[in-house]
Amino acid sequence: MTATDPAMTALAHSWSALSLLHGRIESRVERALQAGHRLSAREYSLLDVLSRQHDGEGGHLQMRQVADSVVLSQSATTRLVTRLEDRGLLSRHLCPTDRRGIYTDVTDDGLRLLEEARPTHETALCEALDRAAADPALAPLVRAVQHLRSETLPA
């Protein structure tokens, strides 16, 4: 396979379209969350991921798992956690069974902000997808996202 191979070119164009779709969605969501809630898209994602933790077996995430969930390095995730902790949106505490482990939980203020921001996030996401659906290069990807969404909705 060479760089001028049609299959390789098609793959590069597909990747470019996916990257473009992601960028447009992230930009739209970022602007909406910043304007409405003084929250970045990454901060929203972190609050969302951490809000889904529970006290049961395997209910708390390790920092590596959190970093993977928000698609950041562990050091960037730690800085993000610290920023949100400084704003009173997160708290950290020692794991009761392993004193080396530190858990991060969303505070009541963080949960309130997350719930206020959810409709903004959903609206911005839908608007970005609707706009992208009008672009012939992005429409197939939007349909794929919508198909995935319909498969994950409860019956």
Side-chain angles (χ1 to χ4, degrees):
M1 193 178 291
T2 66
T4 57
D5 185 325
M8 190 68 143
T9 303
L11 179 63
H13 284 293
S14 298
W15 173 248
S16 180
L18 181 59
S19 181
L20 178 61
L21 178 62
H22 177 268
R24 286 185 182 178
I25 290 170
E26 190 169 54
S27 176
R28 180 79 165 220
V29 168
E30 181 77 27
R31 283 191 314 270
L33 288 171
Q34 282 290 350
H37 309 282
R38 291 187 31 236
L39 224 107
S40 73
R42 295 278 190 206
E43 291 168 337
Y44 175 89
S45 293
L46 180 64
L47 289 172
D48 184 53
V49 165
L50 292 175
S51 74
R52 297 172 195 279
Q53 297 182 120
H54 55 83
D55 289 329
E57 183 68 31
H60 274 88
L61 300 172
Q62 298 172 349
M63 195 55 72
R64 177 186 47 76
Q65 295 168 305
V66 174
D68 288 347
S69 295
V70 295
V71 194
L72 288 173
S73 68
Q74 275 189 257
S75 60
T77 302
T78 299
R79 288 190 300 274
L80 185 58
V81 165
T82 299
R83 259 196 334 265
L84 292 178
E85 186 179 32
D86 290 346
R87 288 176 59 188
L89 304 175
L90 297 178
S91 64
R92 293 187 232 199
H93 59 91
L94 289 175
C95 170
T97 59
D98 180 358
R99 306 282 298 165
R100 296 170 296 169
I102 298 176
Y103 288 156
T104 304
D105 289 316
V106 182
T107 64
D108 289 342
D109 286 345
L111 288 172
R112 266 191 298 282
L113 180 58
L114 179 62
E115 288 310 311
E116 290 169 9
R118 277 192 204 284
T120 302
H121 181 269
E122 185 74 16
T123 298
L125 183 56
C126 288
E127 288 171 352
L129 286 169
D130 287 347
R131 181 170 280 179
D135 183 332
L138 301 179
L141 293 170
V142 172
R143 285 192 298 274
V145 169
Q146 291 167 335
H147 176 74
L148 288 171
R149 180 179 177 216
S150 68
E151 286 187 354
T152 60
L153 291 174

